[in-house]
Structures are given as structure tokens and as C-alpha cells.
Amino acid sequence: MTYPVEHQQLAGWAKFPVIAADVATPASIEEARDYVMRQERLIARGNGKSYGDAALAPHVLSTLALRHIRHFDASSGVVDCEAGVLLSDILRVAVPQGWFFYVTPGIKHITVGGAIASDVHGKNHPTHGCFSNYLISFELMTAEGQVVHCSKEENADLFWQTCGGMGWTGLILSAKFQLRRISSTQMLQHTVWSANWDELFAALSGNREYEYAAAWVDGLAAGSNFGRGAVFFANHAEGSSKEPLVFHEKKPGNVPFTPPIGLINRWSTYIHNKMYLRKKPPGDYPTDLDSYFYPLDGIRNWNRMYGPRGFVQYQFCMPEHTAYDGIARIFQAIQRSPDAPFLTVLKRHGERPAEARYSFPIKGYSLALDFPRTRSMVSLVRTLDDIVWAAEGKIYLTKDACSDPKMGRIPLEDFKESKWWSDLRERLAMLP
Ligand SMILES: Cc1cc2nc3c(=O)[nH]c(=O)nc-3n(C[C@H](O)[C@H](O)[C@H](O)COP(=O)(O)OP(=O)(O)OC[C@H]3O[C@@H](n4cnc5c(N)ncnc54)[C@H](O)[C@@H]3O)c2cc1C
């Protein structure tokens, strides 16, 4: 069989860690099976948009050549596609016919396989849960090269272990899932500013008439200013049936090369935070799907701004009863450290279905923080791990690069020794 296998220096979106890996790109099930049967210590990789080491191993199977939408039923909104199809591929086909995702992350350039393996969530988790809520079925290739059909009725254990299972159960080959009807591509956004932590928490917890909500927090604001930020709420607008639906994708800007020194530091963060709120005054604004859901897609290669050392995204979720104090403790620990988060996003989460054991969100609040990678970074991450652990919280493995193994991560060194998906699947049971 002739499919490309390239030796590469490979990393996730945050460019840390970087490892040497053989990356195979099969274009059919037979080619995928061939590579699966040849390799031990293999992980599937979609579009590499997980931040840390989730899609890294000595042998990697890229799904990017498995990129066909097999069928889209414009009357029922059911998509049937290969695992390497990007969410953006689906948007271009589905939006003009009046369909959108029930659940979408803040990036459209991820694969369907990656969306399932991380069981991604969006800004509407309290009402709509994770991607798995609308997943009908998928085909999974096991370590033995068998193709197993998984749904909530058939091979249900394997179905739920794979949703949020970080590729530890096998290779997702294709999937079927349900989209939602939209009658307009406009979003009605409502922005609220907060002057302190009480106001921020109250705004994010209230305003339940909006389906979508996410808050930006000024990670440098301390003392009585702690919690200064903005909450961005939104609902889909209603349109008339005559209105043609077009998915307007803004032409993205680009960071053309990696500067020799990172551009993100405490001072640029200070200036960014000062300017950020001015650009987002409180009030009601119409906006469009691309601008509301995918603002970071507006700059290609923005990860290069962090320079050659890359960055670390740390995202955790704490249950409702610990989150108010626990998140405040996280910010206090960061403010005592030499590190400053450039981007901070706070979200509220709803109940997790009992079967969705490996989905990241639990009922409570999650916070995502992007830090330039410094010498003190690992030590800060371990301090944050301890606070999250004490608050009965958990971390998001798709973002992680250097947390304590007690948080569920498999360090790359262990991964090298770990034999196969069957071993990895057993490790799922040990996740906190
Ligand atoms: C700017 C940005 C914003 C984001 N916003 C959100 C957000 O709002 N909510 C959220 O939940 N996530 C968010 N993410 C994270 C992202 O959605 C996930 O990391 C997603 O899994 C990436 O998909 P990918 O195709 O790039 O997969 P990769 O990064 O290549 O892989 C991610 C994981 O999926 C596994 N995997 C991939 N394909 C398969 C397959 N075919 N079979 C089995 N396993 C597979 C890999 O082994 C790995 O464990 C964001 C990421 C970025 C860069």
C-alpha cells in the first residue's frame, strides 16, 4: 500500500511540547487498517488544534485525507461524513440550507473525529451539552483492525468511552450527527461589563434568556478590581424564509512567521486588557455566525505570536459549590506568580449525562487561560492543579501539556511505553 508516511517534528496548537513522530496519512479504510496493524503506540490526529500533547505519539495516523461528506440530508439535517472532515467544510454546505451545529467549539477548523474524541462543548453547554448529545453513531477501528459500529444503542460502552476518550479507544473513521435549524445567519449579542468578581459571577449565572454565554476576565486586575471583565451573551436571530442564508467567512488576517521572541508578555497583556473592553462596550449588537462563534479564526497562525517557545493553555472545570471561591484562588495564585495569562475565558456548564463520563464539562464553571511558556510555567500549572484538585474540579485533557499525572494526563514518556489502544482504554477508567 502506498500512502504517505513522513517523519516530522510535531506539536499541538500551542507548539509545546514538540516531538519527533512518523505521521501516516491514509486515504481509505484499507490503508488506515494497514497502518494500524503495523504500529504499536499509535494515536489518531485530526487537524492538530488540541493545544498540548493530546495528538502526539511516536506514530501518528492523520485523518486529513479522510475528508468526504458522504451524505447531507437537507430535509432532516443529518450529516454523514468521514472523520477528517472539518467543521468549516460542513458549515459551507449546511448553513446555506438552513442548518447549523447544536454544539460548536470556538474554532471551526477542527475535524469531526477531533470533535468526538474531545467531546467538544460550546457557549451553550447548560442548555445543549456536548457534541455527543447530537451524535447519532460512528464507525471505530479497533487495535485489531476491526470496524465497529457504535451508537447509544449498539456497542454503547465503546460509544461513551470514545466521546471525550481522547483517541484512546481507537480510530474514528466516520460519523453521523444531527444539525439544528436556523432561519437567519445573524446573532443578537448582548454585552454586560462587570467591575468585580461578584458582578461577573452574577451576570454569567443569570441572564438565562440567552442561549449562549462566555465571559472575558482581565487576569491582571487584582484587589477590588478583581473580576473586571465582560460577559458576551447571544441568541440566534429569527429570519424570514425569503432571506438567503450565506455563511459569511471573514477573510482572516495572518501572522506570517514566528518572531524570534514572543510578542506576548505581561506588558503587552496589560495594554491588550486596557484596550479590549473599549472595543466591546455594553449593549445589544447584531453580529454574524462567524464573528460570534469563531473570533479567533479571524487571525490565521495567531499561535506564532507567542514565539518559538510556544504557550500553554490551562482549562479546568469546578463544580458549582466550589467554583466561586476556587476560581478566585486560581487568580490569586496566578497574581502571586511571575506569569500572566493573555486570554481568559469563563463559561458556565450544565448537568453532564451519566453516560458521558469522559466529557470535560461538569455542572459548574470552567476557566481557560493562555500563558506564554516561561521557565516557571510548569511549576505554576502544578500549583493550579492542586487548587483544582482540592476544589473537586478537573482539567481538560485536550488543552493540557504539563499537568500532574494525578489530573488524568498520560505523560508522553508513559505513552511511549504504553502498548496499545487496549492499554489506553483501561487507563480511561482511572480518570478522575
Ligand atoms: C482557538 C481554539 C478554540 C477552541 N475552543 C474550544 C471550545 O470552545 N470548546 C472545546 O471543547 N474545545 C475547544 N478547542 C479545542 C478543540 O476543539 C479540540 O482540541 C479538538 O479536539 C481539536 O480537533 P482536531 O481535529 O484538531 O483534533 P487533534 O487536535 O488532532 O486531536 C485532538 C484529540 O482527538 C483525537 N482524535 C482526533 N481525530 C481522531 C479520530 N479520527 N479518531 C480518534 N481520535 C481522534 C486525538 O488523538 C487527540 O486526542 C479549541 C481549540 C482552539 C485552537
Side-chain angles (χ1 to χ4, degrees):
M1 298 224 180
T2 52
Y3 48 90
V5 182
E6 282 176 41
H7 191 69
Q8 293 182 12
Q9 294 298 309
L10 201 63
W13 180 245
K15 302 205 178 293
F16 167 73
V18 181
I19 68 162
D22 286 328
V23 182
T25 311
S28 67
I29 294 186
E30 292 67 37
E31 289 183 353
R33 181 180 288 115
D34 182 73
Y35 197 64
V36 164
M37 300 306 289
R38 279 169 198 268
Q39 301 303 339
E40 291 192 336
R41 310 194 301 264
L42 171 77
I43 196 83
R45 183 175 172 100
N47 206 23
K49 294 294 191 277
S50 50
Y51 282 75
D53 58 6
L56 297 184
H59 300 281
V60 170
L61 191 155
S62 165
T63 59
L64 289 180
L66 299 169
R67 198 172 159 181
H68 299 112
I69 299 180
R70 300 198 296 203
H71 186 63
F72 172 57
D73 184 338
S75 58
S76 67
V78 173
V79 181
D80 177 352
C81 68
E82 290 184 333
V85 167
L86 301 182
L87 301 191
S88 52
D89 299 334
I90 296 168
L91 289 169
R92 281 173 211 134
V93 174
V95 170
Q97 303 190 63
W99 298 94
F100 188 67
F101 298 107
Y102 274 103
V103 171
T104 178
I107 174 167
K108 58 186 179 292
H109 306 300
I110 67 160
T111 62
V112 167
I116 298 171
S118 299
D119 201 8
V120 294
H121 63 271
K123 296 171 182 157
N124 59 351
H125 188 265
T127 51
H128 287 77
C130 285
F131 197 81
S132 57
N133 262 11
Y134 303 95
L135 183 58
I136 299 167
S137 61
F138 56 80
E139 309 283 333
L140 184 83
M141 185 173 286
T142 64
E144 297 75 33
Q146 278 175 345
V147 178
V148 184
H149 182 81
C150 299
S151 69
K152 289 167 189 164
E153 292 78 37
E154 209 178 331
N155 297 305
D157 281 356
L158 197 50
F159 178 93
W160 288 112
Q161 284 174 335
T162 302
C163 295
M166 303 310 302
W168 298 358
T169 57
L171 170 69
I172 302 158
L173 293 165
S174 63
K176 267 192 200 176
F177 51 93
Q178 178 70 53
L179 300 182
R180 71 187 283 168
R181 270 265 177 231
I182 49 166
S183 58
S184 166
T185 54
Q186 290 280 295
M187 299 295 294
L188 302 176
Q189 186 173 319
H190 175 69
T191 303
V192 174
W193 278 7
S194 65
N196 56 47
W197 188 224
D198 276 354
E199 281 185 21
L200 186 74
F201 219 76
L204 187 59
S205 310
N207 293 288
R208 305 261 169 124
E209 65 275 32
Y210 294 99
E211 177 179 339
Y212 299 99
W216 171 82
V217 194
D218 181 344
L220 296 180
S224 58
N225 290 328
F226 162 59
R228 180 167 58 206
V231 191
F232 306 109
F233 298 99
N235 282 327
H236 288 277
E238 294 292 329
S240 78
S241 55
K242 291 189 202 121
E243 185 189 344
L245 298 178
V246 183
F247 182 58
H248 288 289
E249 273 181 88
K250 289 208 176 55
K251 196 172 175 320
N254 189 18
V255 180
F257 59 90
T258 303
I261 299 173
L263 305 177
I264 309 291
N265 54 41
R266 182 172 282 275
W267 300 111
S268 54
T269 302
Y270 176 80
I271 292 163
H272 167 262
N273 290 1
K274 282 267 172 233
M275 285 166 39
Y276 188 82
L277 277 183
R278 286 196 205 149
K279 284 189 286 168
K280 319 260 176 192
D284 293 309
Y285 310 93
T287 183
D288 58 89
L289 295 172
D290 203 36
S291 307
Y292 183 73
F293 288 103
Y294 311 114
L296 287 173
D297 290 345
I299 306 178
R300 275 171 52 215
N301 301 312
W302 59 260
N303 54 349
R304 290 181 178 160
M305 287 194 298
Y306 285 87
R309 290 178 64 83
F311 67 108
V312 168
Q313 179 166 112
Y314 188 78
Q315 186 172 9
F316 62 89
C317 194
M318 286 182 186
E320 264 180 337
H321 67 281
T322 62
Y324 178 86
D325 291 335
I327 297 174
R329 273 199 290 277
I330 290 278
F331 277 111
Q332 284 154 9
I334 294 169
Q335 284 163 5
R336 279 195 300 270
S337 80
D339 297 293
F342 183 68
L343 204 75
T344 52
V345 179
L346 183 67
K347 289 184 206 148
R348 189 168 68 82
H349 297 284
E351 208 71 65
R352 178 170 71 171
E355 308 90 332
R357 156 94 172 77
Y358 302 109
S359 298
F360 161 68
I362 49 177
K363 189 167 191 213
Y365 294 82
S366 73
L367 181 70
L369 303 147
D370 284 0
F371 296 98
R373 187 166 75 88
T374 59
R375 274 174 226 249
S376 46
M377 198 63 255
V378 175
S379 143
L380 175 63
V381 164
R382 298 298 168 96
T383 304
L384 303 187
D385 282 344
D386 287 342
I387 299 170
V388 173
W389 185 259
E392 300 163 41
K394 57 183 295 208
I395 59 160
Y396 197 2
L397 290 176
T398 209
K399 307 290 178 77
D400 179 54
C402 53
S403 276
D404 191 305
K406 78 175 176 216
M407 308 304 286
R409 71 178 269 100
I410 301 187
L412 274 171
E413 316 78 79
D414 274 26
F415 198 93
K416 284 186 196 150
E417 281 154 28
S418 179
K419 272 192 69 189
W420 198 215
W421 288 329
S422 42
D423 298 3
L424 291 176
R425 200 175 152 191
E426 279 173 26
R427 289 186 72 150
L428 278 172
M430 293 181 229
L431 285 182

